[in-house]
Amino acid sequence: MEFLIEYGYIGVFIASFLAATILPFSSEVVLTGVLIGGASYWPCMIAATAGNCLGGMTCYWLGKMGKIEWIRKYLRLDISKLERVQNWVKDKGSWVGFFVFLPGIGDFIAVALGFMRANVWMVAIPMFMGKALRYWIWMEVVYKVQEVVAG
């Protein structure tokens, strides 16, 4: 993680991208380290949101390819859980892309939306909004904690 923190905004982008795939990775740790190191607010917000959106859309595109073997091999997702999420998403529509930021289920939502051939823009826009909200809240918490610690 220190390696990515040292790379600043690029490190935040890479960490956010990796965290949006099925890799067990915490972009928040890298983002926090970069913020504490004195990085600017908006470049961090842009790097984190863009990286995380691109990672989420990667899951969407793998789902859209529709090859269960690839989903099992590259994303290591439980196919029965994917089917359950797909059934849940089917009734809701593409706007559930907003919830792709949720840990544990977000990857399944992205893949299910792709597998169902949901409109890419109707997935990408809510996904972007959800991920931006997530990082905005996280960054605000980091700044508030820094204020309290600095006293």
Side-chain angles (χ1 to χ4, degrees):
M1 297 269 187
E2 287 181 38
F3 168 77
L4 290 171
I5 292 171
E6 290 175 13
Y7 275 85
Y9 306 123
I10 293 170
V12 169
F13 178 87
I14 292 169
S16 298
F17 179 87
L18 293 174
T21 63
I22 52 86
L23 295 174
F25 204 82
S26 175
S27 60
E28 290 84 359
V29 171
V30 175
L31 178 58
T32 301
V34 172
L35 287 170
I36 289 172
S40 297
Y41 188 92
W42 285 109
C44 279
M45 180 70 173
I46 291 166
T49 303
N52 214 241
C53 280
L54 288 175
M57 290 308 292
T58 300
C59 290
Y60 167 86
W61 285 110
L62 283 171
K64 191 162 184 165
M65 288 181 201
K67 299 197 183 277
I68 294 294
E69 304 83 40
W70 290 2
I71 293 170
R72 249 191 233 125
K73 182 178 179 181
Y74 296 114
L75 297 179
R76 300 180 195 266
L77 296 179
D78 178 356
I79 300 305
S80 63
K81 186 173 180 181
L82 176 60
E83 290 170 350
R84 285 193 307 271
V85 171
Q86 196 171 351
N87 288 332
W88 178 78
V89 167
K90 193 183 324 179
D91 298 331
K92 311 292 185 271
S94 299
W95 67 269
V96 296
F98 178 86
F99 298 102
V100 171
F101 73 90
L102 293 172
I105 193 169
D107 298 333
F108 289 97
I109 294 171
V111 172
L113 287 166
F115 203 73
M116 294 168 54
R117 309 290 193 272
N119 179 291
V120 67
W121 293 109
M122 296 305 290
V123 172
I125 292 169
M127 183 187 297
F128 175 84
M129 292 168 50
K131 290 178 178 285
L133 179 66
R134 166 192 175 189
Y135 285 116
W136 175 72
I137 291 170
W138 183 262
M139 290 172 60
E140 289 299 317
V141 168
V142 169
Y143 279 119
K144 295 296 180 205
V145 168
Q146 278 184 304
E147 287 176 13
V148 169
V149 170

